Amino acid sequence: MKKKWLSTIMLFSAALMVMAGCGNKPETNNNSGAATPAPSATESASPTASGSNADAGNYKIAISQYVEHPSLDATREGFLAALKDAGIVDGENLKVDLNIAQADSTNNLSIAQKIASEKNDLVVGIATPSALSVAQYVKETPVLFAAVTDPLAAKIVTNLDQPGGNVSGASDTNPEAITELMDFIASDLPNVKNVGIVINEGEENAVIMAKKAEEALAAHDIKLVRASASNTSEVKQAVESLVGRVDALYITLDNTVVSAVDTIIQVANDKKIPFFSSDRDTVEKGAFATVGFKYYDHGYQVGQMAVEILKNGKKPAEMKVTVPDKLDLILNLKAAAAQGITVTDAMKDKVKDKDNNIIQ
């Protein structure tokens, strides 16, 4: 009788071990193939109603980024830094699913569809094409956008103050920045009568900014001359076609063009043509000037919005779309020398934060 009772206990214990092994099967991380540890005794092994582990202190965020270039990368870094400062740390209590479309519309669409089919606590779209795609496909999970020029014109949201739905974020364009830059060109480079722009006419954000620049230049009787580039391989030919026809070069936050900006810098330096950009990162790379801000700060701002959603339960519908408010003239003195520009004291006096925004 005693042996029979011991055998029964052993069989029952074995069954419990099998059941426990099935219940704690590790998850697979699609990005790295590494296993995710099973929840601890203090965490819930079951997902929340939305299919996430946010209530247990763990988060999953999917990021769709249109292309890799300094401004967009800095945006992503600032975003993750804001989360880290709030105690949401990648690799600890945060799993980040990063997807780069490499400026390919087919990839961009596939990424949005993939993200929509998965369970996330938050989805982030970086750059207008990616933000638009995730906003169209992700309907239940909160969505934030960053590095979007005009979220209204792109139809990502219908109202900046009260976005409604599940989407909000931050625009990377203050319309005054374009006007101020064009005013600077007119006042401080009086010999400029024609400004050349390399542009992908298929990028709505670039078209919007180009129109604003054209209007601002027209007020000074300066003409904007366009050269189209539908992909990065066409940028070199486009900028070379402007040589001899323009007195200065300008680019918008055009993802296609910014991805090949080294080509424009080389032409500007070789031909001694002043080159103006729409973002600080391109000035740091070799453009002469812009009126702008740090994209890291822009991303950090969106990260703070994410913290409000993840930790405090805020809804994107209630969160106002923000725009940069720390505009300043940014000058690169080394680029000026390479492009044959004499930087005057009057130019330097227009820079508010001379320690950080006059790049030696």
Side-chain angles (χ1 to χ4, degrees), residues 33 48 72 159 269 284 320 359:
T48 63
L72 300 188
N159 188 300
N269 292 348
E284 290 180 349
K320 181 178 178 179
I359 301 166

Side-chain angles (χ1 to χ4, degrees), residues 265-287:
I265 293 170
Q266 182 178 348
V267 171
N269 292 348
D270 290 346
K271 303 299 182 180
K272 305 301 180 188
I273 305 173
F275 173 35
F276 299 86
S277 71
S278 297
D279 64 294
R280 180 192 179 92
D281 297 290
T282 300
V283 173
E284 290 180 349
K285 252 190 158 182

Side-chain angles (χ1 to χ4, degrees), residues 31 61-67 76 96-102 107-108 110-112 114-115 118 124 126 130:
N31 289 330
I61 292 176
I63 298 176
S64 176
Q65 182 175 319
Y66 190 59
V67 70
R76 185 181 73 245
V96 177
D97 175 24
L98 175 61
N99 305 269
I100 308 291
Q102 300 301 352
N107 290 344
N108 189 51
S110 297
I111 288 169
K114 177 187 80 76
I115 290 174
E118 298 170 343
V124 181
I126 300 178
S130 292

Side-chain angles (χ1 to χ4, degrees), residues 74-86 144 146 170 294-307 322 326:
T75 299
R76 185 181 73 245
E77 291 163 5
F79 173 81
L80 293 174
L83 293 178
K84 184 177 181 180
D85 287 347
L144 291 176
K294 289 184 178 180
Y295 268 82
Y296 181 93
D297 294 340
H298 171 69
Y300 196 95
Q301 186 178 30
V302 179
Q304 290 175 315
M305 296 176 74
V307 171
T322 61
K326 297 179 180 179

Side-chain angles (χ1 to χ4, degrees), residues 145-158:
F145 58 79
V148 170
T149 299
D150 191 336
L152 289 177
K155 298 181 180 178
I156 297 173
V157 296
T158 57

Side-chain angles (χ1 to χ4, degrees), residues 137-172:
Y137 281 93
V138 179
K139 295 301 182 183
E140 301 297 329
T141 306
V143 173
L144 291 176
F145 58 79
V148 170
T149 299
D150 191 336
L152 289 177
K155 298 181 180 178
I156 297 173
V157 296
T158 57
N159 188 300
L160 297 180
D161 291 329
Q162 296 179 322
N166 65 315
V167 182
S168 188
S171 169
D172 62 354

